[in-house]
Amino acid sequence: MEPWTADRLRQTYLRFFRERGHAILASASLIPEHDPSVLFTTAGMHPLVPYLMGQEHPAGTRLADVQKCVRTGDIDEVGDATHLTFFEMLGNWSLGDYWKADAIRWSFELLTGAEWFGIDARRIAVSVFAGDADCPRDEESAAVWRSLGIPEERIVQLDKGENWWPAGGKNPGPQGPDTEIFVWTGDGAAPERFDPEDKRWVEVWNNVFMEFSRTPNGTYEPLARRNVDTGMGLERILTVLEGKRNVYETDLFRPILRVIDALATQQDERARYIVADHLRAATFIVGDPFGVAPSNVDQGYVVRKLIRRAVRSGKRLGIEAPAWTVRVAEEIIAHYRAAYPELEEHRSRILFELREEEERFREVLVRGERQFARIADALPSGETKISGADAFTLYESYGFPFEVMVDVATEHDPPLTLDRAAFALAAEAHAERSRSAQGQRFIGGLADHSDQSIRYHTATHLLHEALRRVLGAHVEQRGSNITPERMRFDFTHPEKVRPEDLRVVEQLVQQQIVDDLPVSYELLTADEARTRGAIGLFDDTYAALGERVKVYTIGSADGAYSREICGGPHVARTSMIGTFTITKEEAVSRGVRRIRAVVTQGGPHVEVAGSRVEA
């Protein structure tokens, strides 16, 4: 039998759902274009939130994809057998189309069918929502599982903390019960009764049935349109299909680890895993169409932390070769470029950023060791403990990692210790300040869909085109952050924008507002959009699948000011925006600039292309 690989798994999954009428979507960017609430795309459903909330999707009501994701909450746990920062999520969706019976039946068929994954049905167990005072037991899902031959002993009922999305169901908005699918991975036959606490039962798939809306007063009301939202981790199911106990033993990581092992002179399994995971994640983030370079803020800070933690782990492995992270990244690109051609397209950018950050961090280590020596020399006679305050200063001001401090302290003559508790308190206080700042990020694409936020959203299109006309076609959007009070627009440009150019950009935007241009949208294939001069994220997968995208045009069809791929919403005419003023231009990271701007309120209400929103 043909061995399982990641490529075979992706192709099999998408073929299964294509044959069942699903449009196959290309993976969205890792950098959410219009959602400042999070740094990265964290789940397969993340790019589809507007459509799960009721917006019509250009590709229809049945969708499937393999989505790139990054989660950083467990970044310090990476190095064990399960935690990852970058991962791929297999997903299929029904937007008011099929419901529980079809979703569950197809999940079971894909997992157990001989033509598909071929997992023995006797290794399958499931959980369903048990019901509570607010919502009934999900008997419908349980009945479907029984009809497929899953015995009662393998169907467990769990509460909202386990079988509800979002977990607990405490927040207002669309939600509903889910059914989770587990596969037995232990030796021998699976036990007759399913015990969800037994870690040998591995959850591989989750089907969420969004059928309720929780009101602000805490009641649950049926949704007018019910949706199915599923997710299956590619790394996890591949581990099961290959019969491995550890994701790092699969086809996804074996080639990467071979390169790392060839560079290493010391053995440290946890360090091997950290290097492989972190450099894989950094390669994908830097190589994304909205690629991010290492920096000290937002996504760039995460990239910097990933690369530096990888370099530090490489030090434990005895890797001394210069620019060794580049050699690992080259293998990652080679291994993934068939599925994600953007990595090959952005190869030079990936390798440049890794080489630069590796060299910069080596300098950080030298400076940190020098400052550590000064602190150690200043200790009172007989004192052998570095204070938490000094340790945190080394960490925060010099970028010197705590783990490296421990190594240096141990090697000192005489050996020193660090006040871990005090360091932890200082770090937690800093993290709390960061969380408070992070809390100022906004939810749901724009901060809201108020008139003023919609004005700002349309203004970003005018600004994007103005920057391209004044600075050049190399300008590409790298994200936006919109609230009812202001807009922030990130774009590619190699140097500070001259004040005189900023004035021209501002005047050009304002002229389009004065000209009262119409704003409209069409559903086009990627090829049609490209032919008409639309800008945005193009992917060859769009063209291959004939998938339609939403293209907004500002101006008349034969004399458009701009055309851009975007999900909306936008004002119906540019005069509704008001007066546009640039307030600041600044650097974000290498090759990325940021413009902050404000608009005064326009007319008494905003008309949205295709609908009307009253003020």
Side-chain angles (χ1 to χ4, degrees), residues 559-581:
Y561 170 76
S562 76
R563 279 195 178 92
E564 190 164 349
I565 295 174
C566 183
H570 296 279
V571 300
R573 302 193 70 87
T574 56
S575 62
M576 296 174 181
I577 295 173
T579 302
F580 176 86
T581 305

Side-chain angles (χ1 to χ4, degrees), residues 353-369:
E353 296 295 354
L354 284 172
R355 182 182 292 107
E356 287 286 302
E357 190 61 25
E358 179 185 336
E359 292 175 357
R360 190 178 293 114
F361 187 50
R362 288 180 186 273
E363 296 171 0
V364 165
L365 293 178
V366 171
R367 290 198 305 271
E369 288 173 355

Side-chain angles (χ1 to χ4, degrees), residues 56-201:
E56 178 187 354
H57 196 285
T61 59
R62 296 186 179 190
L63 313 171
D65 70 1
V66 182
Q67 174 62 45
K68 302 179 292 184
C69 302
V70 166
R71 292 181 186 169
T72 59
D74 296 329
I75 193 170
D76 292 325
E77 303 301 319
V78 170
D80 61 12
T82 59
H83 286 91
L84 298 170
T85 46
F86 170 86
F87 61 97
E88 298 172 79
M89 187 64 75
L90 307 165
N92 62 281
W93 291 269
S94 164
L95 305 179
D97 194 319
Y98 58 84
W99 191 231
K100 295 179 182 179
D102 283 334
I104 293 173
R105 178 168 52 84
W106 287 336
S107 297
F108 184 75
E109 182 183 356
L110 176 60
L111 289 173
T112 63
E115 180 186 355
W116 307 105
F117 290 175
I119 297 172
D120 190 335
R122 293 171 295 184
R123 296 171 57 200
I124 300 291
V126 300
S127 62
V128 298
F129 176 55
D132 56 20
D134 297 317
C135 300
R137 177 179 185 263
D138 189 5
E139 176 57 34
E140 185 178 354
S141 291
V144 176
W145 284 118
R146 284 193 291 268
S147 74
L148 294 170
I150 302 298
E152 201 67 48
E153 297 79 13
R154 297 274 183 84
I155 304 173
V156 300
Q157 303 173 36
L158 300 175
D159 62 17
K160 276 200 178 85
E162 298 294 334
N163 277 96
W164 192 270
W165 184 92
K170 299 297 184 183
N171 297 324
Q175 51 191 273
D178 62 44
T179 180
E180 297 178 347
I181 309 171
F182 298 77
V183 175
W184 174 255
T185 61
D187 295 328
E192 291 185 7
R193 183 171 294 277
F194 170 40
D195 177 7
E197 298 300 316
D198 186 337
K199 299 305 180 185
R200 291 173 293 181
W201 286 103

Side-chain angles (χ1 to χ4, degrees), residues 462-515:
L462 297 178
L463 175 60
H464 192 181
E465 179 62 24
L467 288 167
R468 289 171 62 85
R469 294 190 181 195
V470 175
L471 302 180
H474 65 277
V475 170
E476 294 180 355
Q477 182 175 346
R478 283 291 180 265
S480 62
N481 182 298
I482 294 169
T483 77
E485 290 76 35
R486 54 100 182 113
M487 63 177 277
R488 196 179 77 188
F489 186 85
D490 295 350
F491 60 98
T492 55
H493 189 59
E495 58 191 5
K496 181 176 177 61
V497 181
R498 298 181 304 172
E500 56 267 34
D501 287 337
L502 280 178
R503 285 194 294 273
V504 174
V505 167
E506 183 180 85
Q507 291 165 2
L508 187 55
V509 171
Q510 189 58 42
Q511 187 60 54
Q512 312 317 307
I513 296 171
V514 171
D515 288 346

